[in-house]
Amino acid sequence: MVSEPGVGVPVLSLRELSVLLPVRPGDIFRSRSVPVLNGVSLDVHAGEIFCLVGESGAGKTTLLDVILGFCVVQKGTIRFRGRQVEQGRGPGRLQLNRNTQVVFQDPVASLSPFRPLGRSIVEPLQARGADRAEMRKTVRQLCRRMQIPRSLLRRRPSQVSAGQAQKICIARALSTAPDLLLLDEPLSALDNPACQETTMLLCRLQREYGLTCLLVSHDLRLVRAMATTVAVLYLGRIVEQGPADSFFERPAHPYSRALLSSALVPGLWPGQRIVLEGEMPSPLNAPAGCPFHPRCPERYSRCSRMPPPLRHVRPNHFVRCHRAGQGSSVQTATGHIAELECCEQLRSSQRPC
């Protein structure tokens, strides 16, 4: 039984994560490193679809790599089901890896080119020592729910379309009934009809299975269809986070409004299109103050000098911006309380942080 989203111990909890990566790949001495993530905090509760959006290079995929243990964390903590996840091997890392599955960007490349697709679906079950009867039963159930023809299971990845391969990847990820599903740009390799079909499939599976997902996507149509919570990442820092309905109806950060404006999806952004100047700065030469201020069409003079504080603008909706909530009752989150701890206090007391 899936608990109500936002209630109870989070399935995944990140606190003040900071990650440095070497400038040159293979630079084992790390003579010069670049901050890719900077103080990222978030909670993913059971039954929640938590979506990360932002430009390429913002740090979204790096965050998934951190969760999977592919990147070393310089600062911060990861908790899975309330248990701390250690660096390297340990019981917390083993629990997270065993109960987490991933759907990657390129479906064809993430499948073995030498195995029939049916064998790829049961790979996670084989790794857990499941018997043949259990594997056959799981494959039949997944094929029926996902409308995968049985004849497709005998083919190899090179013999199917990208949309069909992505269906197989999703089926493989669901074969072990994971507690957490990571979706890394699941529509990026698909054409328009396949995108629509996969979006409808993911929405239906979320309702039927009560999936708990951390979704990384550039496709705001998918985010609008699936998300319960949206976080906007810019230059390795979350600049806005809130419930999906609140985010799409009244985005509080200028960068969020520019993202919605650029989507060109009918009805998603009713106002005039916003065109940002320049490109996202390099983290090697990050601007002082607010990292978004060189491109911001609404900047103050203090934006170039002072980092913006975390502000609470609506229930469970937070933003890092000097202009956020001007003209309304907005209070600044102060002290050393982490962003998501403020959210927890708000849920219990129903008072602004």
Side-chain angles (χ1 to χ4, degrees):
M1 182 69 178
V2 177
S3 63
E4 181 184 353
V7 176
V9 177
V11 175
L12 179 70
S13 180
L14 310 181
R15 284 292 180 275
E16 295 296 326
L17 283 188
S18 296
V19 173
L20 298 175
L21 295 180
V23 174
R24 296 187 300 275
D27 184 1
I28 59 174
F29 298 104
R30 296 178 181 266
S31 57
R32 191 179 183 194
S33 298
V34 55
V36 182
L37 296 176
N38 184 9
V40 173
S41 299
L42 59 87
D43 281 347
V44 183
H45 290 82
E48 183 177 24
I49 308 295
F50 193 107
C51 294
L52 281 171
V53 299
E55 291 174 275
S56 296
K60 305 185 299 299
T61 299
T62 301
L63 185 61
L64 297 187
D65 290 341
V66 168
I67 295 169
L68 294 170
F70 299 153
C71 287
V72 177
V73 177
Q74 274 68 39
K75 180 183 175 184
T77 59
I78 304 174
R79 290 186 176 273
F80 184 76
R81 294 288 186 190
R83 187 175 194 173
Q84 184 161 344
V85 177
E86 308 87 354
Q87 298 276 2
R89 293 182 178 272
R93 170 56 62 186
L94 180 63
Q95 182 188 21
L96 188 151
N97 290 349
R98 188 176 179 83
N99 295 282
T100 301
Q101 291 290 345
V102 192
V103 176
F104 296 100
Q105 295 186 34
D106 190 339
V108 176
S110 62
L111 296 169
S112 171
F114 307 108
R115 288 188 174 187
L117 297 176
R119 291 282 302 277
S120 294
I121 293 178
V122 299
E123 278 179 335
L125 293 171
Q126 287 177 325
R128 295 192 175 194
D131 56 30
R132 289 190 175 184
E134 181 182 352
M135 289 190 288
R136 283 197 294 267
K137 179 182 177 182
T138 301
V139 171
R140 283 197 301 268
Q141 290 176 344
L142 288 170
C143 288
R144 185 174 62 252
R145 287 201 169 190
M146 299 182 62
Q147 300 175 0
I148 299 175
R150 299 295 295 274
S151 60
L152 201 68
L153 303 181
R154 294 189 291 270
R155 301 181 188 176
R156 284 173 169 73
S158 60
Q159 299 173 319
V160 299
S161 67
Q164 291 171 324
Q166 193 64 291
K167 271 190 174 184
I168 297 297
C169 292
I170 295 171
R172 179 178 62 180
L174 296 179
S175 62
T176 58
D179 290 344
L180 177 65
L181 182 62
L182 304 180
L183 299 167
D184 185 12
E185 295 284 359
L187 305 184
S188 63
L190 309 184
D191 57 20
N192 229 14
C195 283
Q196 296 178 7
E197 183 182 1
T198 306
T199 299
M200 294 173 61
L201 173 65
L202 288 171
C203 292
R204 180 166 56 81
L205 291 174
Q206 199 281 328
R207 291 194 302 269
E208 293 178 0
Y209 285 90
L211 298 177
T212 303
C213 300
L214 179 57
L215 168 65
V216 167
S217 182
H218 288 109
D219 194 324
L220 291 177
R221 292 171 299 181
L222 176 64
V223 175
R224 188 69 180 101
M226 291 192 65
T228 53
T229 303
V230 179
V232 181
L233 206 61
Y234 187 83
L235 213 61
R237 179 178 284 272
I238 292 179
V239 296
E240 182 170 0
Q241 178 179 323
D245 290 340
S246 177
F247 172 79
F248 281 101
E249 290 172 8
R250 295 173 60 195
H253 198 281
Y255 181 60
S256 303
R257 292 193 284 270
L259 283 179
L260 294 179
S261 166
S262 66
L264 299 180
V265 178
L268 194 62
W269 179 250
Q272 185 178 3
R273 188 178 180 191
I274 303 171
V275 179
L276 296 179
E277 300 176 358
E279 298 179 352
M280 186 166 59
S282 167
L284 283 171
N285 190 24
C290 174
F292 183 61
H293 86 265
R295 307 172 68 193
C296 182
E298 307 173 17
R299 57 181 175 266
Y300 285 151
S301 58
R302 61 180 171 179
C303 295
S304 60
R305 304 189 308 270
M306 300 169 53
L310 180 72
R311 296 177 182 270
H312 165 238
V313 291
R314 288 185 291 280
N316 297 338
H317 195 144
F318 295 86
V319 64
R320 290 187 182 276
C321 182
H322 289 296
R323 291 187 63 98
Q326 295 300 315
S328 60
S329 57
V330 177
Q331 296 186 10
T332 303
T334 58
H336 300 284
I337 302 176
E339 301 171 21
L340 268 291
E341 291 173 353
C342 288
C343 294
E344 292 163 3
Q345 291 180 1
L346 179 66
R347 293 189 192 103
S348 61
S349 65
Q350 294 301 309
R351 293 192 302 270
C353 303

